[in-house]
Amino acid sequence: MRQGHGRPAIYGNHPTGMNGPRKVHIKSFGCQMNVYDSHRMADTLAPEGFAETAAPEDADLVILNTCHIREKAAEKVYSELGRIRVLKQAAAREGRRVVIAVAGCVAQAEGEEIIRRAPAVDLVVGPQSYHRLPALLARVARGEAVVDTEFPVEDKFDVLAPPSRAATRARGVSAFVTVQEGCDKFCTFCVVPYTRGAEVSRPVAQVVAEVARLADAGVREVTLIGQNVNAYHGDGPDGRPWTLGRLLERIAEVPGIARLRYTTSHPCDMEASLIAAHRELPSLMPYLHLPVQSGSDRVLAAMNRRHTRADYLDTIARMQAARPDIAFSSDFIVGFPGEREQDFDTTLALVDEIGYASAFSFKYSPRPGTPAAEMAEQVPDALKSERLYRLQAAIDRNQAAFNARCLGHSFDVLFEKPGRHPGQLVGRSPYLQPVQVMAAPSMIGEIATVTITEISANSLFGTLLAPRARAQTAMLAEIGG
Ligand code: SAM
Ligand code: SF4
């Protein structure tokens, strides 16, 4: 086994006596932050001799990077662990040891309970400890069952290995970069402040260096991510905290980066410099995920969202004034404790008033330890399901109307990979819609102007106009509005 940077080999001798590279299979559940974290875990394990595999049955190490946001997401982990345990037993019969690790927010929230419930698990590691993976796995190799859910004093971003050029290229032309983690907002339904901890922002120089490395490996689009990304306040090179607006302005200068996005934003943190960035930066895409959760002031107050429906509409109006072609998406929770029919009706009305291009909607899921789980007037599940159905119908109708408005218009598409049919590529519009176009494979990574000629439920189809040397969105205002 190859050893990284003179550190001890994680397992000592390979149990099969083979010296080939080890394989790690990482499965991500939940949000983009977990996808990013999974990549960083793979990058940290690469110098230790681990190559990534998409097949869990080939892996020596299986990591489940878990999500705790809703009960369903957390329960999925245990059914997945049942399947992996069978693979582990089969490998043991062949004399091969498979190590199972649970990472992410379920690991943070449930800690040792995971090993009690699923004894095949060897390692439980919280989101703030990924940089310690090699050392933790070395302890596992010595026969310990290891649980690390601390919030360590050292900054994991200072220690986590950067991706190799090859790994970055393999991950495509669009990349996520975590700039902020944790949350201090304490919405009454949400586990994030408990599982991810207090809000922390990465310094500007560290983020810019990571973006420059990505650009150098061929990445064209960067999405800055954080649980509450627009609360970003990382230290700038001037020693002062910078806003997300200023950070975007700086990143827009990185050569090769043609498109910028950020997610997820809280409506209360859409401050002036961020709105100005939308006005001034052509590479900042005119599409904003701005979760509102509910259209009812009564429910918003019970959720501790700290804004009203009118505040939200005012923010939307200011964004539209800054960037007339902007479109919006949102998250909604239905069946929050105490939500009445008239509250729900105001949510439905808000969907139509904004005309969202897309949105996610969820049934309220009581999370242990959060205030809302203890509230009176919990809504019966059947009623939640019925409201979810009606909300999704309203969202679908608005999304279809938005897509229909794109027909006949031209806009820039970043080509990402081969499309569904031979000769086709699929790319993303400024509004994140997948667009299928007949184009040469050499155009992957390029931005070209496409005229939309056809739409289906989930995709747009278009024809190529002229290739563009640089990113520039050219949507007509009526599409966004
Ligand atoms: N920070 C973002 C914000 O404030 O909008 C949201 C981050 S959260 C990871 C993603 C979404 O999960 C939330 O916007 C919310 O709609 C949903 N969510 C969070 N807790 C939930 C719960 N207990 N039940 C149902 N949905 C939940
Ligand atoms: Fe959770 Fe977002 Fe509220 Fe923070 S702002 S508590 S992450 S829903």
Side-chain angles (χ1 to χ4, degrees):
M1 173 175 160
R2 210 181 108 210
Q3 296 184 21
H5 306 312
R7 280 182 279 187
I10 289 172
Y11 298 120
N13 289 329
H14 195 294
T16 59
M18 288 162 56
N19 282 324
R22 303 305 188 81
K23 290 190 180 155
V24 56
H25 173 79
I26 308 181
K27 179 160 182 172
S28 286
F29 298 82
C31 65
Q32 295 102 328
M33 301 217 44
N34 270 6
V35 175
Y36 176 86
D37 285 347
S38 294
H39 287 160
R40 300 310 297 267
M41 284 192 263
D43 299 335
T44 295
L45 291 169
E48 306 289 331
F50 280 95
E52 270 191 273
T53 173
E57 60 278 11
D58 291 345
D60 304 285
L61 169 62
V62 176
I63 302 178
L64 302 184
N65 193 8
T66 62
C67 172
H68 199 245
I69 201 86
R70 284 169 290 277
E71 190 182 358
K72 236 190 198 160
E75 280 306 313
K76 262 191 210 159
V77 175
Y78 286 101
S79 48
E80 189 66 23
L81 279 173
R83 278 191 286 275
I84 305 291
R85 180 175 53 100
V86 174
L87 296 180
K88 179 172 175 144
Q89 288 163 341
R93 285 195 291 275
E94 294 166 6
R96 195 166 62 86
R97 183 175 183 198
V98 173
V99 168
I100 303 180
V102 176
C105 292
V106 176
Q108 189 64 43
E110 298 191 5
E112 284 177 13
E113 176 62 21
I114 295 175
I115 294 186
R116 264 197 292 278
R117 216 173 134 182
V121 172
D122 302 283
L123 170 62
V124 174
V125 54
Q128 302 310 327
S129 299
Y130 296 152
H131 56 299
R132 295 177 174 175
L133 265 177
L136 297 173
L137 287 168
R139 284 171 54 197
V140 168
R142 292 196 294 271
E144 272 183 69
V146 178
V147 177
D148 183 344
T149 52
E150 284 170 38
F151 286 91
V153 280
E154 74 268 16
D155 178 359
K156 68 176 172 184
F157 290 110
D158 285 337
V159 191
L160 279 168
S164 67
R165 244 178 102 86
T168 302
R169 290 188 96 89
R171 289 170 193 159
V173 297
S174 179
F176 297 127
V177 174
T178 293
V179 300
Q180 178 277 341
E181 271 198 285
C183 183
D184 297 341
K185 293 275 192 295
F186 290 93
C187 300
T188 52
F189 52 81
C190 184
V191 288
V192 167
Y194 311 98
T195 56
R196 290 276 176 163
E199 231 172 69
V200 180
S201 298
R202 295 175 70 187
V204 171
Q206 203 185 67
V207 174
V208 172
E210 185 168 333
V211 172
R213 256 197 319 270
L214 291 169
D216 187 49
V219 165
R220 305 296 317 279
E221 174 179 86
V222 162
T223 304
L224 305 184
I225 55 175
Q227 270 91 18
N228 203 353
V229 71
N230 56 343
Y232 178 85
H233 57 275
D235 287 341
D238 54 4
R240 299 203 173 150
W242 278 27
T243 60
L244 185 68
R246 255 187 112 181
L247 178 69
L248 285 162
E249 217 177 286
R250 173 66 191 86
I251 292 177
E253 292 167 2
V254 174
I257 298 299
R259 284 184 162 191
L260 291 174
R261 304 179 186 275
Y262 59 93
T263 198
T264 295
S265 296
H266 191 287
C268 293
D269 292 321
M270 291 307 301
E271 46 75 42
S273 79
L274 186 52
I275 297 179
H278 278 274
R279 188 181 309 113
E280 284 151 24
L281 301 177
S283 57
L284 185 54
M285 291 294 97
Y287 186 57
L288 179 64
H289 184 61
L290 194 63
V292 66
Q293 314 297 355
S294 169
S296 152
D297 283 343
R298 223 175 56 80
V299 174
L300 287 172
M303 287 177 165
N304 189 32
R305 288 293 285 180
R306 307 164 192 226
H307 63 80
T308 61
R309 177 197 181 94
D311 297 333
Y312 184 82
L313 285 169
D314 181 58
T315 302
I316 295 278
R318 283 188 294 136
M319 296 300 300
Q320 285 168 328
R323 185 80 206 228
D325 60 353
I326 198 163
F328 299 94
S329 71
S330 179
D331 294 339
F332 292 94
I333 294 178
V334 299
F336 186 80
E339 183 188 70
R340 302 187 189 138
E341 202 52 33
Q342 59 268 39
D343 297 310
F344 180 65
D345 284 344
T346 59
T347 300
L348 286 180
L350 186 71
V351 171
D352 286 336
E353 189 167 348
I354 307 246
Y356 288 104
S358 170
F360 300 99
S361 46
F362 312 101
K363 288 198 272 187
Y364 167 67
S365 168
R367 306 310 291 130
T370 59
E374 307 297 322
M375 285 179 186
E377 284 192 74
Q378 296 283 330
V379 174
D381 191 61
L383 189 51
K384 286 185 203 170
S385 299
E386 190 260 334
R387 287 183 186 161
L388 185 67
Y389 180 81
R390 285 162 62 201
L391 177 59
Q392 284 178 345
I395 291 168
D396 288 351
R397 187 165 25 78
N398 278 279
Q399 181 168 359
F402 180 80
N403 287 344
R405 290 206 296 278
C406 294
L407 198 61
H409 286 289
S410 302
F411 46 68
D412 285 350
V413 168
L414 169 59
F415 289 106
E416 292 185 347
K417 54 187 181 194
R420 279 189 222 145
H421 301 295
Q424 255 183 2
L425 294 185
V426 64
R428 293 272 174 182
S429 77
Y431 304 106
L432 276 182
Q433 299 143 302
V435 186
Q436 309 275 341
V437 181
M438 296 302 284
S442 60
M443 287 195 70
I444 291 176
E446 297 230 349
I447 291 169
T449 308
V450 166
T451 303
I452 303 305
T453 53
E454 200 185 324
I455 53 172
S456 74
N458 299 315
S459 274
L460 308 183
F461 300 84
T463 52
L464 214 49
L465 287 182
R468 301 280 290 256
R470 64 187 183 86
Q472 201 176 53
T473 54
M475 282 291 284
L476 295 177
E478 75 249 31
I479 292 178

